[in-house]
Amino acid sequence: HDPPHLHPRRADPRLRRRSIDRAMRCATHLATSTSGRTHARGESDRARTPSSGSWAKVTRPRRAMVSPAHEDARRRTRVGSKRNVDLPVLSPDTLRRDLYEHRTLWNTSVRGVVLCNGARGVDDCEYWLSYMPMRNRAEVIRLMLAYANVPYAFEVVGYERWNEVKPAMNFGKTPALVDVDGGGTDLTHETAMTRYLADKLNLGGSDSFQKARVDELFSQYWHTIRNNGLTHAGELYSAKALKDASAEDVENCGRFQETHRVNSLSVAKRSLQALRVFEEIFETNGTPYLVGDAPTYVDFALFDALFDLGEEDAAPDFAERFRLPRCGEFANRVAGIPTIDAYLRSPTRIPRYERPEYAYVPGRLSPEP
């Protein structure tokens, strides 16, 4: 051993005692600090470093396995963290009658929760989706949840009640997935919500290439059929314009791939180009869905547009009339999936509406009460 004079801490008992006290304080801090807590499921392994505020990789202990009963109890506890569990549970049939009685979206004043996919109470709900009483920006999300048959709550916020909710929403936006992490964090913007749920529900592709391909096709859909997210009926795509499309539009619309971004095409021709992109993909792939043999979120996005186009007051014969046989087969295939068929027929589905009044109107599998 080295002589004591080379180790002053060892030689001086007072210094050694101070060192032990300091170590004890550090251990106590780590035991009580939130920075040392165990992660909940799905939480990132990253933590903010106090000094720089940047993200740094840290090693965390893995959460111990818990029984399903304990997991359910934990979920029920966190449901109330930001979800308004005190809202009345609405009967889907009563809600539908109320919407038709108020005639337009602008007159709606309802505020309550519709339980979906077999949920018997708010405690059963894996997700909490908040939106106004319309399909629009939440419909692809609801199709995904229907396909996966996941119990969720649909919080309906009438337009006249929107100001009660808007200030608390991220960016003042709706729809929103409320309390997605069990800690009061909401997620808004439909593209972010769609991709988040795709990851959770395994609807984003089976490998890295499929995921990228699905994302690519969803981006194409978003920039054309969804009019860059601005509207469902705009300058780049409109079911109403397709309803009035002429034989010349169908014959001479050209290919999207050969058309410049700035052009003088009619909305009908642009709409036909947008759909024919996906018709060509089906022809090239030879698969039942856009990417592989199983549906992904881009399939539900395209299906939503085609189902709307196929309404009796739009273009129910679109597959033959617009030379889109594969899109027609695809739409029938998705509509025939048992969980999707059940949702399309369910009273939990909000009625469609007509622009510009946003007046509720009956549609396929969605009759007026």
Side-chain angles (χ1 to χ4, degrees), residues 280-316:
E280 290 182 20
I281 290 170
F282 283 126
E283 182 178 9
T284 301
N285 287 356
T287 55
Y289 299 101
L290 287 168
V291 182
D293 296 323
T296 62
Y297 64 93
V298 70
D299 290 299
F300 295 118
L302 178 60
F303 169 76
D304 180 43
L306 294 175
F307 191 86
D308 183 61
L309 179 61
E311 291 283 1
E312 288 299 324
D313 56 2

Short mmCIF file of all heavy atoms in Angstrom, two decimals, residues 280-316:
data_model
loop_
_atom_site.label_atom_id
_atom_site.label_comp_id
_atom_site.label_asym_id
_atom_site.label_seq_id
_atom_site.Cartn_x
_atom_site.Cartn_y
_atom_site.Cartn_z
N GLU A 280 -52.25 3.50 -62.10
CA GLU A 280 -51.03 2.96 -62.70
C GLU A 280 -50.22 2.16 -61.69
O GLU A 280 -49.59 1.15 -62.04
CB GLU A 280 -50.18 4.10 -63.27
CG GLU A 280 -50.77 4.75 -64.51
CD GLU A 280 -49.87 5.84 -65.07
OE1 GLU A 280 -48.65 5.83 -64.76
OE2 GLU A 280 -50.37 6.71 -65.81
N ILE A 281 -50.21 2.60 -60.44
CA ILE A 281 -49.47 1.87 -59.40
C ILE A 281 -50.08 0.49 -59.20
O ILE A 281 -49.36 -0.51 -59.10
CB ILE A 281 -49.45 2.67 -58.09
CG1 ILE A 281 -48.57 3.91 -58.25
CG2 ILE A 281 -48.95 1.81 -56.92
CD1 ILE A 281 -48.66 4.89 -57.10
N PHE A 282 -51.40 0.41 -59.14
CA PHE A 282 -52.06 -0.90 -59.01
C PHE A 282 -51.71 -1.79 -60.20
O PHE A 282 -51.46 -2.98 -60.04
CB PHE A 282 -53.58 -0.73 -58.92
CG PHE A 282 -54.06 -0.27 -57.57
CD1 PHE A 282 -54.85 0.86 -57.45
CD2 PHE A 282 -53.73 -0.97 -56.42
CE1 PHE A 282 -55.31 1.29 -56.21
CE2 PHE A 282 -54.18 -0.55 -55.17
CZ PHE A 282 -54.97 0.59 -55.06
N GLU A 283 -51.71 -1.21 -61.39
CA GLU A 283 -51.40 -1.99 -62.59
C GLU A 283 -49.97 -2.50 -62.56
O GLU A 283 -49.70 -3.66 -62.91
CB GLU A 283 -51.63 -1.13 -63.83
CG GLU A 283 -51.37 -1.87 -65.14
CD GLU A 283 -51.65 -1.01 -66.35
OE1 GLU A 283 -51.89 0.21 -66.19
OE2 GLU A 283 -51.64 -1.55 -67.47
N THR A 284 -49.04 -1.66 -62.12
CA THR A 284 -47.63 -2.04 -62.09
C THR A 284 -47.34 -3.06 -60.99
O THR A 284 -46.62 -4.04 -61.19
CB THR A 284 -46.74 -0.80 -61.87
OG1 THR A 284 -46.97 0.13 -62.93
CG2 THR A 284 -45.27 -1.18 -61.84
N ASN A 285 -47.91 -2.83 -59.80
CA ASN A 285 -47.63 -3.68 -58.65
C ASN A 285 -48.25 -5.07 -58.79
O ASN A 285 -47.63 -6.07 -58.42
CB ASN A 285 -48.17 -3.05 -57.36
CG ASN A 285 -47.35 -1.87 -56.91
OD1 ASN A 285 -46.32 -1.56 -57.50
ND2 ASN A 285 -47.80 -1.22 -55.86
N GLY A 286 -49.48 -5.11 -59.25
CA GLY A 286 -50.19 -6.38 -59.29
C GLY A 286 -50.53 -6.91 -57.91
O GLY A 286 -50.74 -8.11 -57.73
N THR A 287 -50.57 -6.02 -56.92
CA THR A 287 -50.89 -6.41 -55.54
C THR A 287 -52.26 -5.85 -55.16
O THR A 287 -52.73 -4.87 -55.75
CB THR A 287 -49.83 -5.87 -54.56
OG1 THR A 287 -49.71 -4.45 -54.72
CG2 THR A 287 -48.49 -6.52 -54.82
N PRO A 288 -52.91 -6.47 -54.16
CA PRO A 288 -54.25 -5.99 -53.78
C PRO A 288 -54.25 -4.61 -53.15
O PRO A 288 -55.28 -3.93 -53.16
CB PRO A 288 -54.74 -7.05 -52.79
CG PRO A 288 -53.50 -7.70 -52.27
CD PRO A 288 -52.51 -7.66 -53.39
N TYR A 289 -53.11 -4.20 -52.60
CA TYR A 289 -53.03 -2.89 -51.96
C TYR A 289 -51.85 -2.12 -52.55
O TYR A 289 -51.05 -2.66 -53.31
CB TYR A 289 -52.90 -3.05 -50.44
CG TYR A 289 -54.09 -3.76 -49.84
CD1 TYR A 289 -54.02 -5.11 -49.50
CD2 TYR A 289 -55.29 -3.10 -49.66
CE1 TYR A 289 -55.12 -5.77 -48.98
CE2 TYR A 289 -56.41 -3.74 -49.15
CZ TYR A 289 -56.31 -5.08 -48.81
OH TYR A 289 -57.41 -5.73 -48.31
N LEU A 290 -51.77 -0.86 -52.22
CA LEU A 290 -50.77 0.00 -52.85
C LEU A 290 -49.35 -0.43 -52.57
O LEU A 290 -48.46 -0.31 -53.42
CB LEU A 290 -50.98 1.46 -52.41
CG LEU A 290 -52.20 2.15 -53.00
CD1 LEU A 290 -52.49 3.46 -52.28
CD2 LEU A 290 -52.01 2.41 -54.50
N VAL A 291 -49.11 -0.94 -51.37
CA VAL A 291 -47.76 -1.40 -51.01
C VAL A 291 -47.89 -2.78 -50.37
O VAL A 291 -48.16 -2.90 -49.17
CB VAL A 291 -47.07 -0.42 -50.04
CG1 VAL A 291 -45.66 -0.90 -49.71
CG2 VAL A 291 -47.02 0.98 -50.62
N GLY A 292 -47.72 -3.82 -51.16
CA GLY A 292 -47.75 -5.17 -50.61
C GLY A 292 -49.14 -5.77 -50.53
O GLY A 292 -50.10 -5.31 -51.15
N ASP A 293 -49.23 -6.82 -49.72
CA ASP A 293 -50.45 -7.62 -49.64
C ASP A 293 -51.34 -7.27 -48.46
O ASP A 293 -52.36 -7.93 -48.24
CB ASP A 293 -50.08 -9.11 -49.55
CG ASP A 293 -49.36 -9.59 -50.81
OD1 ASP A 293 -49.74 -9.13 -51.91
OD2 ASP A 293 -48.43 -10.42 -50.69
N ALA A 294 -50.96 -6.27 -47.69
CA ALA A 294 -51.76 -5.86 -46.53
C ALA A 294 -52.01 -4.36 -46.59
O ALA A 294 -51.17 -3.60 -47.09
CB ALA A 294 -51.05 -6.23 -45.22
N PRO A 295 -53.14 -3.90 -46.09
CA PRO A 295 -53.44 -2.47 -46.16
C PRO A 295 -52.54 -1.65 -45.24
O PRO A 295 -52.12 -2.10 -44.17
CB PRO A 295 -54.90 -2.38 -45.71
CG PRO A 295 -55.15 -3.62 -44.92
CD PRO A 295 -54.25 -4.67 -45.50
N THR A 296 -52.25 -0.44 -45.69
CA THR A 296 -51.51 0.54 -44.90
C THR A 296 -52.32 1.83 -44.87
O THR A 296 -53.37 1.93 -45.50
CB THR A 296 -50.12 0.81 -45.50
OG1 THR A 296 -50.28 1.37 -46.81
CG2 THR A 296 -49.28 -0.46 -45.57
N TYR A 297 -51.81 2.82 -44.16
CA TYR A 297 -52.61 4.03 -43.99
C TYR A 297 -52.87 4.76 -45.30
O TYR A 297 -53.90 5.42 -45.45
CB TYR A 297 -51.98 4.97 -42.96
CG TYR A 297 -50.62 5.54 -43.26
CD1 TYR A 297 -50.49 6.78 -43.88
CD2 TYR A 297 -49.46 4.89 -42.86
CE1 TYR A 297 -49.23 7.33 -44.13
CE2 TYR A 297 -48.21 5.43 -43.09
CZ TYR A 297 -48.09 6.65 -43.72
OH TYR A 297 -46.85 7.20 -43.96
N VAL A 298 -51.98 4.64 -46.28
CA VAL A 298 -52.24 5.30 -47.56
C VAL A 298 -53.40 4.63 -48.28
O VAL A 298 -54.14 5.28 -49.04
CB VAL A 298 -50.98 5.34 -48.43
CG1 VAL A 298 -50.59 3.96 -48.95
CG2 VAL A 298 -51.17 6.31 -49.59
N ASP A 299 -53.62 3.33 -48.06
CA ASP A 299 -54.78 2.65 -48.64
C ASP A 299 -56.07 3.23 -48.09
O ASP A 299 -57.04 3.44 -48.84
CB ASP A 299 -54.71 1.15 -48.34
CG ASP A 299 -53.60 0.45 -49.10
OD1 ASP A 299 -53.64 0.47 -50.34
OD2 ASP A 299 -52.70 -0.10 -48.45
N PHE A 300 -56.12 3.50 -46.81
CA PHE A 300 -57.34 4.05 -46.22
C PHE A 300 -57.56 5.50 -46.66
O PHE A 300 -58.70 5.94 -46.80
CB PHE A 300 -57.28 3.94 -44.70
CG PHE A 300 -57.27 2.51 -44.21
CD1 PHE A 300 -56.20 2.02 -43.49
CD2 PHE A 300 -58.32 1.67 -44.52
CE1 PHE A 300 -56.19 0.70 -43.06
CE2 PHE A 300 -58.32 0.34 -44.11
CZ PHE A 300 -57.24 -0.14 -43.37
N ALA A 301 -56.46 6.21 -46.91
CA ALA A 301 -56.60 7.57 -47.42
C ALA A 301 -57.20 7.56 -48.82
O ALA A 301 -58.14 8.32 -49.13
CB ALA A 301 -55.23 8.26 -47.43
N LEU A 302 -56.67 6.71 -49.70
CA LEU A 302 -57.21 6.62 -51.06
C LEU A 302 -58.64 6.08 -51.04
O LEU A 302 -59.51 6.58 -51.76
CB LEU A 302 -56.33 5.71 -51.91
CG LEU A 302 -56.79 5.49 -53.35
CD1 LEU A 302 -56.86 6.80 -54.12
CD2 LEU A 302 -55.87 4.48 -54.06
N PHE A 303 -58.90 5.09 -50.20
CA PHE A 303 -60.26 4.54 -50.11
C PHE A 303 -61.26 5.61 -49.72
O PHE A 303 -62.37 5.68 -50.27
CB PHE A 303 -60.30 3.39 -49.11
CG PHE A 303 -61.69 2.94 -48.78
CD1 PHE A 303 -62.43 2.18 -49.67
CD2 PHE A 303 -62.29 3.31 -47.58
CE1 PHE A 303 -63.73 1.78 -49.38
CE2 PHE A 303 -63.59 2.93 -47.29
CZ PHE A 303 -64.31 2.17 -48.19
N ASP A 304 -60.90 6.45 -48.76
CA ASP A 304 -61.81 7.52 -48.32
C ASP A 304 -62.21 8.40 -49.49
O ASP A 304 -63.38 8.76 -49.65
CB ASP A 304 -61.13 8.34 -47.22
CG ASP A 304 -62.00 9.47 -46.71
OD1 ASP A 304 -63.21 9.25 -46.50
OD2 ASP A 304 -61.47 10.58 -46.53
N ALA A 305 -61.24 8.76 -50.34
CA ALA A 305 -61.53 9.61 -51.49
C ALA A 305 -62.41 8.87 -52.51
O ALA A 305 -63.36 9.44 -53.06
CB ALA A 305 -60.23 10.06 -52.15
N LEU A 306 -62.12 7.61 -52.75
CA LEU A 306 -62.88 6.84 -53.74
C LEU A 306 -64.31 6.55 -53.25
O LEU A 306 -65.26 6.59 -54.04
CB LEU A 306 -62.16 5.53 -54.05
CG LEU A 306 -60.81 5.67 -54.77
CD1 LEU A 306 -60.15 4.30 -54.91
CD2 LEU A 306 -60.98 6.33 -56.13
N PHE A 307 -64.46 6.27 -51.96
CA PHE A 307 -65.79 6.00 -51.43
C PHE A 307 -66.66 7.25 -51.54
O PHE A 307 -67.84 7.18 -51.90
CB PHE A 307 -65.70 5.55 -49.97
CG PHE A 307 -66.98 5.01 -49.42
CD1 PHE A 307 -67.31 3.68 -49.59
CD2 PHE A 307 -67.86 5.83 -48.73
CE1 PHE A 307 -68.51 3.17 -49.08
CE2 PHE A 307 -69.05 5.34 -48.22
CZ PHE A 307 -69.38 4.01 -48.40
N ASP A 308 -66.06 8.40 -51.27
CA ASP A 308 -66.79 9.66 -51.40
C ASP A 308 -67.14 9.93 -52.86
O ASP A 308 -68.24 10.38 -53.18
CB ASP A 308 -65.94 10.80 -50.84
CG ASP A 308 -66.66 12.14 -50.88
OD1 ASP A 308 -67.72 12.26 -50.25
OD2 ASP A 308 -66.16 13.07 -51.55
N LEU A 309 -66.21 9.64 -53.76
CA LEU A 309 -66.46 9.84 -55.19
C LEU A 309 -67.59 8.93 -55.68
O LEU A 309 -68.34 9.29 -56.60
CB LEU A 309 -65.18 9.56 -55.99
CG LEU A 309 -65.27 9.70 -57.51
CD1 LEU A 309 -65.64 11.12 -57.91
CD2 LEU A 309 -63.93 9.30 -58.15
N GLY A 310 -67.72 7.77 -55.06
CA GLY A 310 -68.72 6.80 -55.49
C GLY A 310 -70.12 7.05 -54.96
O GLY A 310 -71.03 6.24 -55.23
N GLU A 311 -70.34 8.13 -54.24
CA GLU A 311 -71.69 8.45 -53.76
C GLU A 311 -72.63 8.68 -54.95
O GLU A 311 -72.20 9.10 -56.02
CB GLU A 311 -71.66 9.71 -52.88
CG GLU A 311 -70.96 9.53 -51.54
CD GLU A 311 -71.82 8.79 -50.52
OE1 GLU A 311 -72.96 8.39 -50.85
OE2 GLU A 311 -71.34 8.61 -49.38
N GLU A 312 -73.91 8.42 -54.72
CA GLU A 312 -74.90 8.51 -55.79
C GLU A 312 -74.98 9.90 -56.41
O GLU A 312 -75.28 10.03 -57.60
CB GLU A 312 -76.28 8.09 -55.27
CG GLU A 312 -76.41 6.61 -54.99
CD GLU A 312 -76.21 5.76 -56.23
OE1 GLU A 312 -76.64 6.20 -57.33
OE2 GLU A 312 -75.62 4.68 -56.11
N ASP A 313 -74.71 10.93 -55.61
CA ASP A 313 -74.80 12.29 -56.15
C ASP A 313 -73.45 12.78 -56.68
O ASP A 313 -73.29 13.96 -56.99
CB ASP A 313 -75.33 13.26 -55.10
CG ASP A 313 -74.49 13.24 -53.82
OD1 ASP A 313 -73.48 12.52 -53.77
OD2 ASP A 313 -74.86 13.96 -52.86
N ALA A 314 -72.48 11.87 -56.79
CA ALA A 314 -71.17 12.23 -57.36
C ALA A 314 -70.93 11.42 -58.64
O ALA A 314 -71.52 11.73 -59.68
CB ALA A 314 -70.06 12.01 -56.33
N ALA A 315 -70.11 10.39 -58.57
CA ALA A 315 -69.82 9.57 -59.76
C ALA A 315 -69.78 8.10 -59.37
O ALA A 315 -68.71 7.50 -59.26
CB ALA A 315 -68.50 10.00 -60.39
N PRO A 316 -70.95 7.51 -59.10
CA PRO A 316 -70.98 6.11 -58.66
C PRO A 316 -70.38 5.14 -59.67
O PRO A 316 -69.97 4.04 -59.31
CB PRO A 316 -72.47 5.84 -58.43
CG PRO A 316 -73.18 6.87 -59.25
CD PRO A 316 -72.29 8.07 -59.24
#
